[in-house]
Amino acid sequence: MKTFTVMLAAAAGLALTAGTAAAQEKLKIGMMVTLSGPSAVLGQHQRDGFNLALKQRGGKLGGVDAEVVLVDDELKPDVAVQKVQGLIERDKVDIVTGVTFSNVMMAIAKPVFDSRTFLVSSNAGPSPLAGRACSPFFYASSWQNDQNHETMGKYAQDKGFKRVVVMVPNYQAGKDAAAGFKRFFKGEIADEIFTQLGQLDFSAELAKIAAAKPDAVFSFMPGGMGVNLVKQYTQAGLSGRIPFLSAFTIDETTLPATQDAAVGLLGGAQWAPGSTLPASRAFVEAFEKEYGYVPALYAQQAYDSALLIDAAVKAAGGKFKDKEAMQKGFRNAQFESVRGPFKMNTNGFPVQDFYVVKVVKRADGKFQTEPVEKVFTAHEDVYAKDCPLK
Amino acid sequence: MTAVLRLEGLTKRFGALVVSDEVSLDVRPGEIHALIGPNGAGKTTLIGQIAGRIAPDAGRVFLGGEDVTALPAATRARRGLARTFQISALVGDMTARENVALAIRGRSAGRLAPIPLPGLERRCRAEAMDGLAEVGLADRADVPVSALSHGERRALELAAALALEPKLLLLDEPLAGAGKDESKALVKLIGSLRAKIPMLLVEHDMDAVFRLADRVSVLVYGRIVASGTPSEVRADPLVRSAYLGEEDEAC
Amino acid sequence: MSLTLFAVQTLNGLQFGLMLFLVAAGLTLVFGVMDFINLAHGVQYMLGAYLTAVLAKVTGGFFTALLLAMPLTLLLGLVLERLVFRPLYARGHLDQVLATFGVILIVNEAVKLAFGAAPISVPVPEILSGSVRLMDGLLFPVYRLAIIGAGLGTALLLWLVIDGTRFGMLVRAGATNAPMVSALGVDVRRLFTAVTAFGAMLAGFAGAMVTPILSVEPGMGDGVLILAFVVIVVGGVGSIRGAFIAALIVGLVDTLGRSFATDLLKLVMSASTANHVGPALSSMAIYLLMAGVLAFRPAGLFPSRSAG
Amino acid sequence: MTRTRRDLLVLGLMLGLLAALPFLGLPNWVLTYTARIMAFAICAVALDLVLGYGGMVSLGHAAFLGIGSYAAGILLAENVNDFFIGLVAGAGAAGLYALVTGAVAVRTKGVAFIMITLAFGQMAFFVANALSEYGGSDGLTLWSRAEIGGTRALARDTNLYFVILFFLALSILIVRLVTASPFGIALRAARSNPERVTALGYDVERVRLWAYVLAAVLCGVAGVLIANLSSFVSPALMAWQRSGEFIIMVILGGAGTVWGALAGAFAVLILEEALSLATPHWKILFGLFLILAVLFTRGGIAGLFDRSAK
């Protein structure tokens, strides 16, 4: 009798898998990241993070064979629109993921939503998509753009800093960063410096900072700009005298270049490779073994985006063409995020913890960030209340 | 009778160097007035000021009694000042006829019409052929400029300048670079136009100057040192020393 | 805005200007002598930086790396001249722009393939790692003084070479009147090769010098190229003196604009408007400068090519 | 004269092919992709007037594309939904900017012209970046396309395709007419000998300025079309690299032929897409292609045609 039940169950299982295999093809995922120009390294982290998760699951997500089509948006929004149309209409992808920069995200959002394709961001989280223009087809495994800056604002407030100089590049993300910081920092902004995007030399700005004598500096300088700023900040003798708070400036994409100059500087993030959570340790170890470099938060977010998709497809019972089921799956996704607690908000952005992270030199001579203080617990972005989705 | 062209005290300085030093001269109807002078005398600068390419520091230019000192080159051309250049200046990738047609269009109201005007084109074609015939290039009408001989280009420049129906023709070394036979033909051609149009002739070839000119002015260091009929000027001792003394060097 | 700060910013501006001069010198030389627009100058600068970074890691010494990188960039310049530039001297500017733009694409991508997309950096050499106290709380790294020195030294050297040697005489003649040089019986082809290689080495030197203060990354030459073009066009194409003065002007305008534009605007408008307008205006400052100069002096401040 | 006839034949064939495309049952993305190329081709054809016929190498041409698209985008964001209002605003704004900046630029020549147009292009770029209320550097998403006569006809990709094709054909017609006109002949003559043309009574700077303005107006129209097509405008549209791409299109296609610019736009954009699908390191191949094209062809695609015809 027992044998019979087992046999029956096995037969049913076989029939079920055969049935799904016949009814559904592969889950097609278009990954759009920036792989050209100075910011290519961010896209590289995203790509590798996602691929690691896929590889660990034997090429399956939610039990379904997944196929990834990788495209480079070249950091040109209109090229991105063209390429995403190709992904949707030519490659017939079910999900578009990746997306390194907000301007690219804003460019592709409409065509992706119009085609009822899911957009799973593993980095960019522009405010319109979190607020009024939110969509049931959008989910982020990263954050809303302002949140990491809010973390540093809160930190500066908690530490009792009175006067802070804010220095950001003169573009939208920079202005958002300044706004995010100021939302939680209530002290005096001694000066607000907007630098040119792609600026190489910061000596003029550093002189202004030295003249202003603030309690701390908050800066957002992604990529090569951050490398130059950190090196010059140290060379100008400001490091160690004026605390350097930042977001997306010192991370594992720039540490190989800044090296010792960045040690001790602070950043705000939802995760850092120095995290001691077991899931995080396993991820960092597997990642370094596979790709030979230390993953930055971009890699972690992309890894988590794969887990998020995995969970959503699983929850939808493998029926990834069923939009309603998938939406429910994304909303209620349960998975063990590398960052720790993770909950999807109504606007498709995570509710999560944020930390102040610090640069350290590891025993093997490599550099990484590690969490030193939790600033926010289960932090929700401010735009969610404008989102009509419930 | 008013002069076709009159210069009054034209002065131009480049830094400390005075290139035109209160130059005054005129060209009367029906005459060829030649301007000679050694290299570096300031002939090119003077022509530039007459044509409107260079603004003088002081002095005035009158064309047919009208003060044109403040007018740009293109406007002066439309008011009747035609010129040829020291180094043959034609539109190289166009044919001989197209070059002359360009001039004819240049004096018509439709010269900048943004759409093709068939009537104007027909008129241009016909008039261009007449103009070419006048300088003996009728059978070369459809040859691109780049395929014309040096002498032919010189003649074509004359045809283009005449097609403007100007009041005055400014000839900047029309014989420069021409061979012996070509020179002879060009001198004959210029002479034949004398009755038609007054000219200011700048030329190095003294034989040609003394054959063609009704009056000659001598420019040395930016200043007119002598002016008169060819024989008067030839006899002037000042000219002989200042001008002919330097001529060897110039060659 | 204290006087000290103004003085410090002026120093920063001069230093930035001299850095630009290092890049612009080779560009204006090649452009002036051969009438050749070399967009690949920026990647030659990048190659100088990468070679220095890699060699510094291998040999462990910045100066060894610098000394080795210079002949290597010279060699690469020769290869590039032979393969791409030489057939293009007789062509128009557009063909030159197109082909050298192709070189940019290739080298940028090749560098990314070879060294990865992440920025790398070079530590400041020990002997130059000190700093000078400029004002309360601000140090001026000695290395930046070294860049000032290198810029001035290069300017002096170029002046000596161009004004005092036969090579320099030919270069000057070439910039004013190229056909005349060939009429002198000089092998123009060899002169061109020499100038191009020399220009490549100057670019490489500039790239090597900035490695301790700037990150080394693919595409690092692209932005610098535009700035260098602004410098040589403002200065007058082909003129080393023009490039030198224009580089200082551009460096000062850019730095002082960044430092004081917003503060000055705050005097006449609200702070938030000033924060809005100031940065946009200072980004544009050098372009406004260039447009202004060209509007009144189309051939630049020190035109070297004679008019006729 | 046979060359003119051949040029017209090739042009007619190309436009005919483009008009037939929507009826071939191709997937939608081919259509939108082609529409995008056509919009860029309008700008390339316009640049050919300036660069190919006028000999003025403008490195700021993308600014006009951007200004056109921003005019359309801002109007849509402010709920002015009529397509024709956007069209007039885009063309007008681009033309006005060209008139003001061109008045200064046409006084320069050679590399100075290249750099001064670059400067004006960059100024427009930085202004767009500073437009925080319209998305700043992130750009502006247009949640719906413009309306024609109160209907949402343009929402259908095929309709927008034909609108873009119409403006492409119109631009080609305008440029061909202008280049054959007295104005165009003067422009062409001034390219090879401005002194002579001035001496014949033409105000060369004025001729150049109006050619520059006309090209900008056409490019502004292209910008309005692009904004509607991609439902998005951003400063990246007017980056100087984009201006460089237009120059590549014109030279690669063959300057001064009109259809060469059209062919160049298609060649460059299709090649970029095809190579980037083939390998992530496609820029090496593209760079190599550019160098070889320059070294071994003259007069671009149109030039190849000329030689093989002989």
PDB file of all heavy atoms in Angstrom, chain B residues 202-216:
ATOM      1  N   VAL B 202      46.516  96.897 -60.664  1.00  0.00           N
ATOM      2  CA  VAL B 202      47.731  96.705 -59.882  1.00  0.00           C
ATOM      3  C   VAL B 202      48.539  95.650 -60.607  1.00  0.00           C
ATOM      4  O   VAL B 202      48.040  94.559 -60.871  1.00  0.00           O
ATOM      5  CB  VAL B 202      47.401  96.226 -58.452  1.00  0.00           C
ATOM      6  CG1 VAL B 202      48.679  95.908 -57.699  1.00  0.00           C
ATOM      7  CG2 VAL B 202      46.607  97.281 -57.723  1.00  0.00           C
ATOM      8  N   GLU B 203      49.767  95.989 -60.999  1.00  0.00           N
ATOM      9  CA  GLU B 203      50.508  95.034 -61.814  1.00  0.00           C
ATOM     10  C   GLU B 203      52.011  95.253 -61.662  1.00  0.00           C
ATOM     11  O   GLU B 203      52.488  96.361 -61.458  1.00  0.00           O
ATOM     12  CB  GLU B 203      50.076  95.199 -63.299  1.00  0.00           C
ATOM     13  CG  GLU B 203      50.700  94.219 -64.257  1.00  0.00           C
ATOM     14  CD  GLU B 203      50.575  92.769 -63.813  1.00  0.00           C
ATOM     15  OE1 GLU B 203      49.453  92.294 -63.651  1.00  0.00           O
ATOM     16  OE2 GLU B 203      51.631  92.110 -63.634  1.00  0.00           O
ATOM     17  N   HIS B 204      52.733  94.142 -61.724  1.00  0.00           N
ATOM     18  CA  HIS B 204      54.186  94.188 -61.633  1.00  0.00           C
ATOM     19  C   HIS B 204      54.847  94.327 -63.004  1.00  0.00           C
ATOM     20  O   HIS B 204      55.943  94.868 -63.123  1.00  0.00           O
ATOM     21  CB  HIS B 204      54.709  92.894 -60.987  1.00  0.00           C
ATOM     22  CG  HIS B 204      54.944  93.052 -59.525  1.00  0.00           C
ATOM     23  ND1 HIS B 204      55.785  93.998 -59.013  1.00  0.00           N
ATOM     24  CD2 HIS B 204      54.449  92.375 -58.462  1.00  0.00           C
ATOM     25  CE1 HIS B 204      55.798  93.903 -57.711  1.00  0.00           C
ATOM     26  NE2 HIS B 204      54.985  92.926 -57.337  1.00  0.00           N
ATOM     27  N   ASP B 205      54.166  93.800 -64.006  1.00  0.00           N
ATOM     28  CA  ASP B 205      54.743  93.770 -65.357  1.00  0.00           C
ATOM     29  C   ASP B 205      54.723  95.189 -65.941  1.00  0.00           C
ATOM     30  O   ASP B 205      53.686  95.707 -66.345  1.00  0.00           O
ATOM     31  CB  ASP B 205      53.898  92.808 -66.222  1.00  0.00           C
ATOM     32  CG  ASP B 205      54.466  92.689 -67.629  1.00  0.00           C
ATOM     33  OD1 ASP B 205      55.148  93.631 -68.090  1.00  0.00           O
ATOM     34  OD2 ASP B 205      54.215  91.655 -68.264  1.00  0.00           O
ATOM     35  N   MET B 206      55.918  95.837 -65.947  1.00  0.00           N
ATOM     36  CA  MET B 206      55.994  97.246 -66.316  1.00  0.00           C
ATOM     37  C   MET B 206      55.618  97.487 -67.775  1.00  0.00           C
ATOM     38  O   MET B 206      54.971  98.477 -68.111  1.00  0.00           O
ATOM     39  CB  MET B 206      57.405  97.792 -66.060  1.00  0.00           C
ATOM     40  CG  MET B 206      57.686  97.947 -64.588  1.00  0.00           C
ATOM     41  SD  MET B 206      56.429  98.990 -63.816  1.00  0.00           S
ATOM     42  CE  MET B 206      55.979  97.980 -62.449  1.00  0.00           C
ATOM     43  N   ASP B 207      56.000  96.559 -68.642  1.00  0.00           N
ATOM     44  CA  ASP B 207      55.636  96.693 -70.047  1.00  0.00           C
ATOM     45  C   ASP B 207      54.125  96.808 -70.175  1.00  0.00           C
ATOM     46  O   ASP B 207      53.603  97.692 -70.858  1.00  0.00           O
ATOM     47  CB  ASP B 207      56.114  95.463 -70.834  1.00  0.00           C
ATOM     48  CG  ASP B 207      57.615  95.529 -71.062  1.00  0.00           C
ATOM     49  OD1 ASP B 207      58.187  96.616 -70.790  1.00  0.00           O
ATOM     50  OD2 ASP B 207      58.195  94.516 -71.475  1.00  0.00           O
ATOM     51  N   ALA B 208      53.439  95.880 -69.512  1.00  0.00           N
ATOM     52  CA  ALA B 208      51.986  95.863 -69.597  1.00  0.00           C
ATOM     53  C   ALA B 208      51.414  97.145 -69.026  1.00  0.00           C
ATOM     54  O   ALA B 208      50.517  97.758 -69.623  1.00  0.00           O
ATOM     55  CB  ALA B 208      51.438  94.659 -68.841  1.00  0.00           C
ATOM     56  N   VAL B 209      51.947  97.567 -67.865  1.00  0.00           N
ATOM     57  CA  VAL B 209      51.427  98.770 -67.219  1.00  0.00           C
ATOM     58  C   VAL B 209      51.554  99.959 -68.152  1.00  0.00           C
ATOM     59  O   VAL B 209      50.590 100.703 -68.370  1.00  0.00           O
ATOM     60  CB  VAL B 209      52.174  99.032 -65.892  1.00  0.00           C
ATOM     61  CG1 VAL B 209      51.879 100.451 -65.398  1.00  0.00           C
ATOM     62  CG2 VAL B 209      51.759  98.006 -64.848  1.00  0.00           C
ATOM     63  N   PHE B 210      52.737 100.143 -68.723  1.00  0.00           N
ATOM     64  CA  PHE B 210      52.936 101.334 -69.541  1.00  0.00           C
ATOM     65  C   PHE B 210      52.196 101.243 -70.871  1.00  0.00           C
ATOM     66  O   PHE B 210      51.899 102.244 -71.490  1.00  0.00           O
ATOM     67  CB  PHE B 210      54.437 101.602 -69.726  1.00  0.00           C
ATOM     68  CG  PHE B 210      55.070 102.057 -68.433  1.00  0.00           C
ATOM     69  CD1 PHE B 210      56.065 101.325 -67.810  1.00  0.00           C
ATOM     70  CD2 PHE B 210      54.614 103.226 -67.814  1.00  0.00           C
ATOM     71  CE1 PHE B 210      56.614 101.753 -66.618  1.00  0.00           C
ATOM     72  CE2 PHE B 210      55.172 103.654 -66.609  1.00  0.00           C
ATOM     73  CZ  PHE B 210      56.170 102.917 -66.011  1.00  0.00           C
ATOM     74  N   ARG B 211      51.867 100.007 -71.291  1.00  0.00           N
ATOM     75  CA  ARG B 211      51.085  99.890 -72.511  1.00  0.00           C
ATOM     76  C   ARG B 211      49.613 100.198 -72.243  1.00  0.00           C
ATOM     77  O   ARG B 211      48.946 100.813 -73.056  1.00  0.00           O
ATOM     78  CB  ARG B 211      51.229  98.480 -73.096  1.00  0.00           C
ATOM     79  CG  ARG B 211      50.750  98.416 -74.528  1.00  0.00           C
ATOM     80  CD  ARG B 211      51.254  97.180 -75.258  1.00  0.00           C
ATOM     81  NE  ARG B 211      52.571  96.740 -74.817  1.00  0.00           N
ATOM     82  CZ  ARG B 211      52.913  95.445 -74.702  1.00  0.00           C
ATOM     83  NH1 ARG B 211      52.040  94.503 -74.958  1.00  0.00           N
ATOM     84  NH2 ARG B 211      54.124  95.108 -74.325  1.00  0.00           N
ATOM     85  N   LEU B 212      49.104  99.750 -71.061  1.00  0.00           N
ATOM     86  CA  LEU B 212      47.670  99.837 -70.810  1.00  0.00           C
ATOM     87  C   LEU B 212      47.236 101.134 -70.137  1.00  0.00           C
ATOM     88  O   LEU B 212      46.177 101.669 -70.436  1.00  0.00           O
ATOM     89  CB  LEU B 212      47.227  98.656 -69.921  1.00  0.00           C
ATOM     90  CG  LEU B 212      47.157  97.279 -70.587  1.00  0.00           C
ATOM     91  CD1 LEU B 212      46.961  96.206 -69.521  1.00  0.00           C
ATOM     92  CD2 LEU B 212      46.003  97.237 -71.586  1.00  0.00           C
ATOM     93  N   ALA B 213      48.058 101.630 -69.204  1.00  0.00           N
ATOM     94  CA  ALA B 213      47.562 102.662 -68.296  1.00  0.00           C
ATOM     95  C   ALA B 213      47.441 104.025 -68.956  1.00  0.00           C
ATOM     96  O   ALA B 213      48.242 104.415 -69.803  1.00  0.00           O
ATOM     97  CB  ALA B 213      48.472 102.753 -67.082  1.00  0.00           C
ATOM     98  N   ASP B 214      46.371 104.765 -68.531  1.00  0.00           N
ATOM     99  CA  ASP B 214      46.256 106.165 -68.907  1.00  0.00           C
ATOM    100  C   ASP B 214      46.982 107.010 -67.876  1.00  0.00           C
ATOM    101  O   ASP B 214      47.530 108.047 -68.179  1.00  0.00           O
ATOM    102  CB  ASP B 214      44.779 106.581 -68.951  1.00  0.00           C
ATOM    103  CG  ASP B 214      44.014 105.737 -69.942  1.00  0.00           C
ATOM    104  OD1 ASP B 214      44.430 105.689 -71.110  1.00  0.00           O
ATOM    105  OD2 ASP B 214      43.027 105.092 -69.529  1.00  0.00           O
ATOM    106  N   ARG B 215      46.898 106.560 -66.600  1.00  0.00           N
ATOM    107  CA  ARG B 215      47.610 107.240 -65.536  1.00  0.00           C
ATOM    108  C   ARG B 215      48.271 106.178 -64.658  1.00  0.00           C
ATOM    109  O   ARG B 215      47.775 105.058 -64.553  1.00  0.00           O
ATOM    110  CB  ARG B 215      46.652 108.066 -64.679  1.00  0.00           C
ATOM    111  CG  ARG B 215      46.316 109.420 -65.315  1.00  0.00           C
ATOM    112  CD  ARG B 215      45.672 110.329 -64.296  1.00  0.00           C
ATOM    113  NE  ARG B 215      44.414 109.757 -63.807  1.00  0.00           N
ATOM    114  CZ  ARG B 215      43.893 110.050 -62.611  1.00  0.00           C
ATOM    115  NH1 ARG B 215      44.513 110.879 -61.792  1.00  0.00           N
ATOM    116  NH2 ARG B 215      42.752 109.515 -62.237  1.00  0.00           N
ATOM    117  N   VAL B 216      49.347 106.569 -64.008  1.00  0.00           N
ATOM    118  CA  VAL B 216      50.056 105.632 -63.133  1.00  0.00           C
ATOM    119  C   VAL B 216      50.290 106.322 -61.797  1.00  0.00           C
ATOM    120  O   VAL B 216      50.664 107.492 -61.751  1.00  0.00           O
ATOM    121  CB  VAL B 216      51.418 105.227 -63.743  1.00  0.00           C
ATOM    122  CG1 VAL B 216      52.159 104.291 -62.788  1.00  0.00           C
ATOM    123  CG2 VAL B 216      51.223 104.564 -65.099  1.00  0.00           C
TER     124      VAL B 216
END
